[in-house]
Amino acid sequence: MRSLILKEIDELIYGSMGIIIFIAFFIGGVVTIQTALNLNNPFLPKSLIGFATRQSVILEFAPTFTSIIMAGKVGSYITSSIGTMRVTEQIDALEVMGVNSLNYLVFPKIIAMFMYPFAVAIAMFVGVLGGWIAAVFGGYAPSGEFIKGLQMEFESFHVTYAFIKTLIFAFVIATVPSFHGFFMKGGALEVGKASTTAFVWTSVVIIILNYILTQLILG
Amino acid sequence: MIEVENIHKSFGDAHVLKGISTVFEDGKTNLVIGQSGSGKTVFLKCLLGLFEPDEGQICYNGQFYSELSTSERRDLRQEMGMVFQGSALFDSMTVEGNVMFPLDMFTNQTKAEMQDRVDFVLERVNLIDAHKKYPSEISGGMQKRVAIARAIVMNPKYLFCDEPNSGLDPKTAILIDNLIQEITKEYNITTIINTHDMNSVMEIGEKIIFLKDGFKEWEGTNKEIFKTDNEAVTNFVYSSELFKKVRQMYIEERN
Ligand SMILES: Nc1ncnc2c1ncn2[C@@H]1O[C@H](COP(=O)(O)OP(=O)(O)OP(=O)(O)O)[C@@H](O)[C@H]1O
Ligand SMILES: [Mg+2]
């Protein structure tokens, strides 16, 4: 079981780090540029750019946006790998051997996704870093001002909120696609369809949970 | 020994099995034959517990499947080996990994013991140079043989094979048939094989049941099947030109 979990961590989390970092970096940059362009009132301090970047990256872009990307990348991988096992009777083969196939296939994925908050933490850091680089090198705000903004009115509970969300999204990303793969019927064509359906449902569930959790925790 | 009592199975409107009863004895190669679509795979999956029959009972050495708890069913299944029609190898594992999988899951053997056992069964199915390959890298016939190796690695009490030698050349097919019969005798296994290969019927058909339209149309041995008057059986058995000629010769010889 341990080696299965490690394998899933490698596949689901480590294998997604590249895309997570890439997206976080550029989204962080774009958020900064957009904020800077909209803050053209000279009486507003430039540090607000850093503040806005931090808030949007930590509260929404790192946890929610990354999770939607993961629903596509990891979710479709989970659905298609389990779905292929279903249509080629590999799941039946597990059952015939006396293996609890649902447990065997899904449990390691859920445990592996508990590592997902680490990925989101990295996304937060890289997102803010991307913002800083865009601000300083794009000439929107001097480094000192931006960093002052990053530290302004920092509420650690916002980070807690982000990680609570992330953990719940992680569970959704592991289970909804697994369900679609495990209980699918048909052949190779249906595996493709199941992956798409799984992505849509995972995203919908994430978006709705995001709304509910935000209302419950921050509202 | 597996006793089957009047099992029925439908999928929606399709009534696939319409009351089949028979007995499969230990140490014998039991064959289930019938046309494509006659319900052989469905029947076998009922015996495996993958499909729950709508009606009827299946009894494994005195235990009624329907009376077993979930954990008892899992224990029973660990005594079963199955070769699926499409092999159903785990494609994320190598040949060796596939065969080792049940040992790894259910025994406390050391790595070396497991390796020995895996080498032994792979050699028995005549596969000696594919240990490290993945299922997608070997031929269909080789996949079948890996599936057989995986099915017998745990020394099962019950062995089910769904067309174990379809897709194999005649020589390998006979080899596989003989292998299955050999281990059946050696370990006194209850073996049930789905096939429409007449060669297998002749070679290893110690008990044959013939399925047609969801019923058990005929039951007997390979000696009897070539002499029966049952029209459905003779039509099936002598559908190939070769067998027609053989029969012709047989009749001419007798006269
Ligand atoms: N899961 C299922 N759902 C619905 N119908 C099914 C299912 N499995 C089998 N059937 C139907 O049951 C009938 C018997 O199928 P089965 O696979 O048992 O045939 P078979 O005798 O094994 O044929 P072959 O020799 O081609 O393998 C077919 O008409 C098939 O459409
Ligand atoms: Mg079949």
Side-chain angles (χ1 to χ4, degrees), chain A:
Chain A
M1 205 34 126
R2 226 184 74 207
S3 66
L4 277 180
I5 293 172
L6 291 177
K7 207 174 128 220
E8 296 292 358
I9 291 177
D10 184 51
E11 186 74 47
L12 304 182
I13 308 293
Y14 190 70
S16 308
M17 282 323 294
I19 182 92
I20 290 179
I21 288 174
F22 175 81
I23 289 172
F25 185 84
F26 286 100
I27 290 288
V30 169
V31 169
T32 302
I33 297 171
Q34 299 276 21
T35 317
L37 293 178
N38 286 299
L39 277 184
N40 39 19
N41 185 334
F43 293 105
L44 290 174
K46 292 281 182 224
S47 59
L48 274 184
I49 299 174
F51 175 76
T53 305
R54 183 197 79 204
Q55 290 300 80
S56 14
V57 167
I58 289 184
L59 292 175
E60 285 309 319
F61 284 105
T64 314
F65 195 79
T66 311
S67 294
I68 298 291
I69 302 295
M70 289 289 273
K73 184 183 182 291
V74 170
S76 62
Y77 163 77
I78 292 179
T79 309
S80 58
S81 64
I82 297 184
T84 305
M85 291 188 75
R86 169 61 77 198
V87 301
T88 57
E89 299 184 312
Q90 293 176 50
I91 292 182
D92 288 340
L94 285 171
E95 281 296 326
V96 169
M97 288 175 191
V99 177
N100 181 340
S101 56
L102 189 64
N103 204 19
Y104 177 82
L105 293 172
V106 180
F107 183 69
K109 293 185 171 61
I110 295 177
I111 300 298
M113 284 304 284
F114 275 117
M115 295 290 130
Y116 177 53
F118 290 104
V120 169
I122 293 173
M124 288 174 179
F125 176 78
V126 174
V128 171
L129 180 74
W132 178 78
I133 289 177
V136 174
F137 293 93
Y140 297 107
S143 171
E145 280 291 302
F146 188 89
I147 290 172
K148 200 173 118 203
L150 288 184
Q151 295 164 337
M152 197 191 284
E153 291 176 34
F154 180 73
E155 270 200 57
S156 63
F157 185 68
H158 284 171
V159 179
T160 315
Y161 151 80
F163 281 116
I164 293 173
K165 285 210 299 200
T166 305
L167 260 184
I168 292 172
F169 295 163
F171 186 74
V172 172
I173 294 170
T175 49
V176 173
S178 293
F179 173 86
H180 279 91
F182 194 86
F183 292 105
M184 67 160 292
K185 290 196 166 67
L189 191 64
E190 281 78 9
V191 174
K193 284 187 196 151
S195 300
T196 315
T197 320
F199 169 65
V200 171
W201 277 110
T202 313
S203 317
V204 168
V205 172
I206 287 176
I207 297 290
I208 291 175
L209 280 178
N210 188 36
Y211 179 84
I212 296 173
L213 288 169
T214 307
Q215 180 64 43
L216 284 179
I217 302 175
L218 295 185

Side-chain angles (χ1 to χ4, degrees), chain B residues 61-73:
Chain B
N61 286 340
Q63 301 170 286
F64 282 99
Y65 188 80
S66 57
E67 288 169 7
L68 298 180
S69 69
T70 312
S71 74
E72 285 169 328
R73 287 180 183 187

Side-chain angles (χ1 to χ4, degrees), chain B residues 13 60 69-70 80 185 210 221 246:
Chain B
D13 291 337
Y60 304 83
S69 69
T70 312
M80 296 177 174
K185 302 281 173 222
F210 177 72
T221 69
V246 171

Side-chain angles (χ1 to χ4, degrees), chain B residues 11 14 16 34-43 51 85 162-163 194 196:
Chain B
F11 297 98
V16 180
Q35 266 180 11
S36 185
S38 58
K40 301 185 295 294
T41 300
V42 172
F43 180 60
F51 288 152
Q85 195 163 358
D162 201 352
E163 305 192 12
N194 279 357
H196 27 57

Side-chain angles (χ1 to χ4, degrees), chain B:
Chain B
M1 187 163 77
I2 301 179
E3 290 157 275
V4 182
E5 273 175 42
N6 190 33
I7 60 168
H8 287 257
K9 180 72 192 170
S10 307
F11 297 98
D13 291 337
H15 202 165
V16 180
L17 303 179
K18 300 172 184 161
I20 296 187
S21 306
T22 189
V23 176
F24 299 113
E25 286 168 25
D26 302 348
K28 261 195 187 175
T29 40
N30 300 281
L31 264 49
V32 178
I33 61 171
Q35 266 180 11
S36 185
S38 58
K40 301 185 295 294
T41 300
V42 172
F43 180 60
L44 208 63
K45 286 190 174 174
C46 287
L47 296 182
L48 282 161
L50 285 176
F51 288 152
E52 189 112 16
D54 303 329
E55 215 181 289
Q57 290 273 27
I58 304 171
C59 183
Y60 304 83
N61 286 340
Q63 301 170 286
F64 282 99
Y65 188 80
S66 57
E67 288 169 7
L68 298 180
S69 69
T70 312
S71 74
E72 285 169 328
R73 287 180 183 187
R74 284 202 198 290
D75 291 344
L76 174 67
R77 285 184 180 175
Q78 285 176 31
E79 301 180 329
M80 296 177 174
M82 167 71 179
V83 179
F84 283 87
Q85 195 163 358
S87 295
L89 298 179
F90 303 127
D91 32 41
S92 60
M93 298 178 198
T94 60
V95 163
E96 200 174 70
N98 266 281
V99 181
M100 200 177 283
F101 182 80
L103 295 174
D104 202 18
M105 287 299 277
F106 300 112
T107 68
N108 297 320
Q109 295 181 7
T110 64
K111 190 88 189 155
E113 284 168 337
M114 291 197 286
Q115 189 66 50
D116 280 351
R117 179 72 190 151
V118 169
D119 292 345
F120 174 75
V121 290
L122 281 175
E123 205 182 315
R124 286 206 76 161
V125 295
N126 236 3
L127 267 182
I128 33 177
D129 47 5
H131 284 51
K132 300 284 178 223
K133 294 206 170 120
Y134 283 89
S136 57
E137 298 168 347
I138 59 179
S139 74
M142 288 161 94
Q143 290 176 4
K144 270 271 153 65
R145 284 184 275 161
V146 178
I148 294 170
R150 184 176 70 180
I152 62 176
V153 72
M154 293 278 280
N155 271 331
K157 267 195 201 155
Y158 313 96
L159 180 61
F160 303 92
C161 307
D162 201 352
E163 305 192 12
N165 50 21
S166 67
L168 296 180
D169 62 278
K171 217 173 144 188
T172 316
I174 290 174
L175 200 114
I176 292 294
D177 280 345
N178 291 341
L179 167 75
I180 292 174
Q181 190 169 39
E182 236 173 80
I183 50 179
T184 301
K185 302 281 173 222
E186 203 173 318
Y187 301 106
N188 204 31
I189 303 172
T190 309
T191 301
I192 299 162
I193 305 164
N194 279 357
T195 186
H196 27 57
D197 182 30
M198 289 316 296
N199 247 323
S200 306
V201 169
M202 294 213 298
E203 291 270 335
I204 59 168
E206 292 180 87
K207 164 157 185 172
I208 301 162
I209 74 169
F210 177 72
L211 296 189
K212 185 168 185 277
D213 302 331
F215 292 103
K216 183 180 79 179
E217 174 79 24
W218 184 86
E219 177 174 310
T221 69
N222 56 359
K223 306 245 164 27
E224 291 157 4
I225 199 169
F226 293 101
K227 296 179 196 146
T228 176
D229 299 328
N230 185 314
E231 203 175 327
V233 178
T234 35
N235 278 343
F236 180 78
V237 171
Y238 298 109
S239 53
S240 98
E241 285 307 315
L242 178 65
F243 277 96
K244 274 183 198 151
K245 283 206 179 97
V246 171
R247 189 178 198 212
Q248 199 67 40
M249 280 160 65
Y250 175 73
I251 293 170
E252 278 167 16
E253 214 170 88
R254 226 175 27 182
N255 296 339

